[in-house]
Amino acid sequence: MDLNVKTGGKGSLEALVPRGLVKHGRDFASSTVSLEGLCPVRIEWEEGLITSLELVHAAHSPGLKLLLPRLVEPHAHIDKSFTWEEAPNFLGNYEGALEANLKEQEDRTFEKVHSRAERALRMALGNGIRAVRSHVDSFGIAAEISWEALLFLKKKWKSLIELQLVALAPLEYWSTDKGSLFAARVASEGGLLGGVIVPPFDRKTSCKALFRIFHLANQLGCGIDLHVDESEIHPAAGLKQLINVLDQIEIKIPVSCSHLSSMSLLPSNELRFLANRLAHYRVNVVALPLTNAWLLGRRETATPVIRPLAPIFQLQQAGVTVAVGSDNVQDPWFPVGNFDPLSLMSFAMPLAHLAPWTRLGLSPFTTAAASLMGLEWDGTIQLGSPADFVLLDACSWIEAMSSPPGRKLLIHGRWFDMNTINE
């Protein structure tokens, strides 16, 4: 399978693009922007970069299709994607998912991880994704196997998808000699350190472990992305512990918190205080509505009326960078999913009330997600930006999210044929 991609293409197109993603020297007249916040533009590119960007009159160009920058996936687990059949979790709860996950690890091989992770990358590419941050199970007998497989794919796929890897392990692991050695390896490969702080936990032990992981990351110069408060009990207990540690140390590296599900169960004044503390320390947040809606708030004989979910809008209002990720795909933690950002946006509309025609509704899937991942391009469309787009067979947001639209990929200024990488 040849993944070498030619660059330097030249071309042009007319399409509808989200107003919030276009940086243009002139103001847009309200008459040129649709009620869904889409505006018609003509884009020209050469040598893989945008050379011209002009508004056009929609009346003169009927039937324009929706154009988006290639999107990003800020939180995935591609080492265990598609493992539902061999490790199902029919209870659908957190405890059942963890038990099935640990059992699946016992039978991991390089070939298994390589096969399903490459399937995930192929699917993500076809759906218009250009970068993926994947947490990797980095403890137990499967750790070495999983990392070797994903490092191999990271190099193999680098011309098409930027793959970031987070070493996911118990927090206490980073306080061991073995953990310190592995952290150095993760940092040398451009990875991040990860861990889980979910109640119930011992405060003294978790505090000590948090200090250690921050010390290691500062020393090694690598980022941190933690699973925090993926729970419906003891609201924000892990976050409060994290803030307590941050109050006592100096941060020299980027920090992200994934989940923060139970934070939404706090009283509004306490929630606002913690959101402001996160903004103060420039801690980013990844909300994961699909997996959390599936795992949390379950009652054996009752439909859940409380759905713990990161308070996206309140965090945004405090100045926190918030991205939305798909998290798990067809594994013990979430039985469905397909690495399709349009599908994720569609599900997020009713779960989190995120509408893509608003700036704060679109940014978690575009500019905020790119910023959180530290990508070179933030996904905005302006002169000099990469000609990396996904052209949807849809003329509106509602059409795009009502059913999976067909799509064409423009990568490095050239139209890309997915058949060239299909096995």
Side-chain angles (χ1 to χ4, degrees):
M1 185 167 65
D2 184 12
L3 296 183
N4 293 319
V5 180
K6 295 181 180 179
T7 61
K10 179 179 181 179
S12 65
L13 60 75
E14 291 184 358
L16 296 173
V17 298
R19 172 66 185 92
L21 295 181
V22 181
K23 292 186 177 180
H24 194 265
R26 297 186 309 225
D27 290 335
F28 289 85
S30 59
S31 60
T32 66
V33 182
S34 75
L35 294 177
E36 287 190 343
L38 302 175
C39 53
V41 297
R42 177 179 174 80
I43 301 174
E44 297 180 3
W45 63 88
E46 191 170 349
E47 297 299 323
L49 300 175
I50 296 176
T51 56
S52 177
L53 182 63
E54 295 294 336
L55 291 172
V56 298
H57 293 287
H60 299 163
S61 303
L64 292 183
K65 302 298 185 180
L66 179 54
L67 183 77
L68 299 175
R70 284 208 297 149
L71 302 172
V72 302
E73 172 53 73
H75 186 119
H77 293 264
I78 66 173
D79 58 326
K80 56 193 170 205
S81 295
F82 314 113
T83 57
W84 172 268
E85 289 190 2
E86 63 180 279
N89 168 26
F90 294 113
L91 294 175
N93 59 22
Y94 188 99
E95 294 75 16
L98 181 59
E99 181 180 354
N101 191 162
L102 293 175
K103 184 177 180 181
E104 174 268 316
Q105 287 185 23
E106 296 176 0
D107 295 321
R108 281 195 186 185
T109 64
F110 178 94
E111 291 73 21
K112 282 185 177 181
V113 176
H114 177 279
S115 175
R116 58 194 183 220
E118 186 149 62
R119 178 183 173 189
L121 292 173
R122 187 182 298 109
M123 189 178 289
L125 177 67
N127 286 327
I129 289 176
R130 65 185 172 98
V132 174
R133 174 178 288 185
S134 179
H135 295 247
V136 185
D137 290 349
S138 301
F139 57 95
I141 59 176
E144 187 68 24
I145 287 171
S146 301
W147 267 85
E148 288 299 330
L150 293 187
L151 285 174
F152 177 83
L153 290 174
K154 178 181 178 179
K155 295 179 176 65
K156 180 179 180 180
W157 279 77
K158 65 179 180 180
S159 67
L160 289 172
I161 291 182
E162 179 176 333
L163 180 58
Q164 298 181 358
L165 303 178
V166 184
L168 178 60
L171 278 180
E172 294 78 12
Y173 175 69
W174 304 116
S175 299
T176 66
D177 292 340
K178 186 176 181 180
S180 296
L181 289 173
F182 190 67
R185 181 189 176 191
V186 170
S188 70
E189 297 287 357
L192 298 86
L193 302 186
V196 179
I197 179 166
V198 172
F201 53 80
D202 180 78
R203 291 188 178 184
K204 185 176 180 180
T205 301
S206 64
C207 182
K208 181 179 178 180
L210 282 170
F211 271 112
R212 177 56 182 167
I213 192 174
F214 276 106
H215 174 74
L216 262 181
N218 276 335
Q219 185 180 45
L220 296 169
C222 65
I224 289 177
D225 193 333
L226 300 172
H227 288 59
V228 181
D229 291 325
E230 187 179 7
S231 173
E232 67 241 42
I233 63 172
H234 306 298
L239 176 58
K240 292 174 184 177
Q241 186 81 309
L242 176 65
I243 294 294
N244 177 53
V245 171
L246 293 177
D247 285 338
Q248 301 176 60
I249 63 173
E250 179 184 359
I251 303 176
K252 301 178 183 178
I253 41 84
V255 179
S256 295
C257 287
S258 293
H259 293 289
L260 291 189
S261 315
S262 66
M263 186 181 181
S264 61
L265 305 180
L266 292 171
S268 58
N269 59 337
E270 191 174 359
L271 190 159
R272 186 163 49 250
F273 171 79
L274 290 174
N276 288 333
R277 298 307 292 162
L278 287 172
H280 173 74
Y281 288 118
R282 298 183 180 179
V283 175
N284 305 312
V285 172
V286 185
L288 302 160
L290 300 191
T291 296
N292 288 167
W294 173 251
L295 289 178
L296 304 180
R298 283 185 174 271
R299 301 293 181 268
E300 287 187 11
T301 59
T303 298
V305 293
I306 296 177
R307 290 294 181 88
L309 169 66
I312 297 171
F313 286 121
Q314 296 94 317
L315 289 164
Q316 289 175 324
Q317 290 166 358
V320 177
T321 297
V322 183
V324 171
S326 61
D327 202 0
N328 302 89
V329 172
Q330 299 178 41
D331 66 19
W333 301 87
F334 189 60
V336 294
N338 55 3
F339 292 103
D340 185 351
L342 271 298
S343 177
L344 176 61
M345 293 169 73
S346 179
F347 277 109
M349 284 186 69
L351 288 174
H353 292 175
L354 293 177
W357 47 81
T358 67
R359 181 179 63 83
L360 293 180
L362 181 59
S363 65
F365 305 94
T366 55
T367 53
S371 173
L372 181 144
M373 291 180 65
L375 302 179
E376 185 176 349
W377 178 38
D378 64 1
T380 56
I381 301 171
Q382 59 183 312
L383 295 180
S385 294
D388 271 32
F389 302 114
V390 53
L391 182 64
L392 306 177
D393 187 17
C395 299
S396 68
W397 279 119
I398 294 304
E399 186 180 358
M401 291 188 292
S402 294
S403 60
R407 56 202 85 184
K408 297 179 180 178
L409 302 179
L410 185 72
I411 302 179
H412 307 319
R414 293 180 181 272
W415 294 104
F416 185 79
D417 182 2
M418 280 295 297
N419 291 324
T420 61
I421 67 165
N422 288 334
E423 294 180 340

